[in-house]
Amino acid sequence: FRCYSPVAFGKKTDKEGAYIRKWIPALANFPAKYIYEPWKAPLAVQRQSGCVVGEHYPARIVDHEVVSKENMQKMKLAYGAANASQESEELAEDDEEATPLTK
């Protein structure tokens, strides 16, 4: 399973945060170091950038590192249950094919 990190993906594909700066003007003046994780910027940096997280930009809702692991585990369980159900159905079909019908 894959769960893409909005932080790691952004850092890898747009190191300076041009996309974020264009579409989220509140973060336009943030240093590249914090553009993908503005909540990690020291308060002084947030103030200097003109955007205090929780005032001018929403505080983060979830910790992606935590919830992505939880979601991956849930997906693993869900796919495991689906695969087990499918295997049961296939076994039942095999039994029906192997058992001759008598009248």
Side-chain angles (χ1 to χ4, degrees):
F1 309 106
R2 289 188 184 264
C3 186
Y4 289 97
S5 164
V7 173
F9 184 79
K11 285 180 177 180
K12 183 177 179 181
T13 60
D14 181 16
K15 293 179 189 210
E16 295 302 312
Y19 184 87
I20 298 294
R21 293 176 202 288
K22 178 178 179 176
W23 296 105
I24 307 174
L27 300 178
N29 296 322
F30 261 75
K33 178 179 180 177
Y34 299 112
I35 196 76
Y36 291 104
E37 299 174 290
W39 55 88
K40 287 187 174 181
L43 188 55
V45 171
Q46 293 180 39
R47 286 188 176 133
Q48 184 179 2
S49 300
C51 176
V52 175
V53 175
E55 280 183 46
H56 309 107
Y57 182 78
R60 69 180 178 170
I61 298 170
V62 299
D63 181 340
H64 188 267
E65 288 183 39
V66 173
V67 298
S68 65
K69 289 176 185 172
E70 291 172 355
N71 288 337
M72 298 266 287
Q73 190 61 30
K74 290 175 185 176
M75 291 297 291
K76 184 178 178 181
L77 292 171
Y79 277 108
N83 288 339
S85 175
Q86 183 177 1
E87 288 173 6
S88 263
E89 289 175 15
E90 289 170 1
L91 286 174
E93 287 173 7
D94 289 347
D95 284 347
E96 288 174 8
E97 290 172 6
T99 306
L101 294 175
T102 55
K103 288 190 178 186

